[in-house]
Amino acid sequence: MQNFQMRTMTKDDVPFLVKSVLMSYRAGSRYIRGINKDSFLRSHNNLILSVLSHPNTEARLIVDKKDESLILGFIVLTGLEKIVICHYVYVRNGFRGTGIAGQLLEELARKANGGSKILVLSHQTDIIKPARFKKYGFDKVYFDPYIFEALC
């Protein structure tokens, strides 16, 4: 990880994570762009906060080594007994194509190394499809937008 390092989310990171998920998910999903913007932002903001506060949810961030407050990318995931839920993978504009997303997905695979071979995606953008995750060792990959609400 050249000038980057990985760390765990702190409470100070929450506003950036929430805003990044809201803005990039709205911009990156044809389905979400079809929903009333105010309604989406209000309801999804609350869902994201609920998921981030779930006891089995963690966010792993890639940050600048010299300035740990500069978040370059992150992954939000929840590890349950039989499955791992990947809520979101985000890489900041300007840092895409640098291998950050791959490092975050490797972290996801490490989290699942305890035996879970089932991955559920709670979000799906136009560029992220379930098949992309199979190379990280998951036998089954599903998209289920309702699992997000089931955690809350």
Side-chain angles (χ1 to χ4, degrees):
M1 274 196 244
Q2 312 160 7
N3 296 321
F4 316 138
Q5 64 186 17
M6 191 172 292
R7 69 171 173 81
T8 303
M9 174 189 75
T10 68
K11 65 178 176 41
D12 293 336
D13 301 320
V14 171
F16 177 82
L17 270 65
V18 171
K19 182 178 180 180
S20 297
V21 170
L22 288 172
M23 296 299 111
S24 69
Y25 191 37
R26 180 143 177 92
S29 172
R30 288 184 300 259
Y31 170 74
I32 297 300
R33 285 191 301 272
I35 299 172
N36 174 279
K37 183 178 179 180
D38 292 334
S39 176
F40 165 75
L41 293 175
R42 184 176 44 257
S43 65
H44 220 70
N45 182 76
N46 294 335
L47 285 173
I48 295 165
L49 290 171
S50 293
V51 167
L52 288 174
S53 66
H54 189 278
N56 293 342
T57 296
E58 62 180 286
R60 301 287 290 158
L61 288 62
I62 300 281
V63 297
D64 186 282
K65 277 187 178 176
K66 295 178 183 173
D67 180 3
E68 286 194 17
S69 68
L70 179 57
I71 300 169
L72 309 177
F74 61 84
I75 188 167
V76 179
L77 54 94
T78 301
L80 302 174
E81 187 176 329
K82 304 243 182 209
I83 65 170
V84 174
I85 303 166
C86 178
H87 298 289
Y88 213 79
V89 178
Y90 171 84
V91 177
R92 188 180 275 219
N93 282 333
F95 294 93
R96 294 178 184 157
T98 63
I100 290 174
Q103 292 172 15
L104 292 167
L105 293 173
E106 288 170 9
E107 183 69 12
L108 174 68
R110 274 191 291 282
K111 178 70 175 177
N113 199 24
S116 176
K117 294 294 183 182
I118 300 171
L119 175 66
V120 179
L121 305 176
S122 66
H123 289 76
Q124 186 170 314
T125 62
D126 297 340
I127 62 168
I128 296 295
K129 305 293 183 211
R132 288 193 168 187
F133 292 84
K134 289 200 175 188
K135 75 177 188 178
Y136 292 95
F138 293 97
D139 294 333
K140 297 180 181 177
V141 181
Y142 302 98
F143 168 59
D144 182 354
Y146 302 106
I147 200 161
F148 195 71
E149 292 175 340
L151 287 174
C152 303

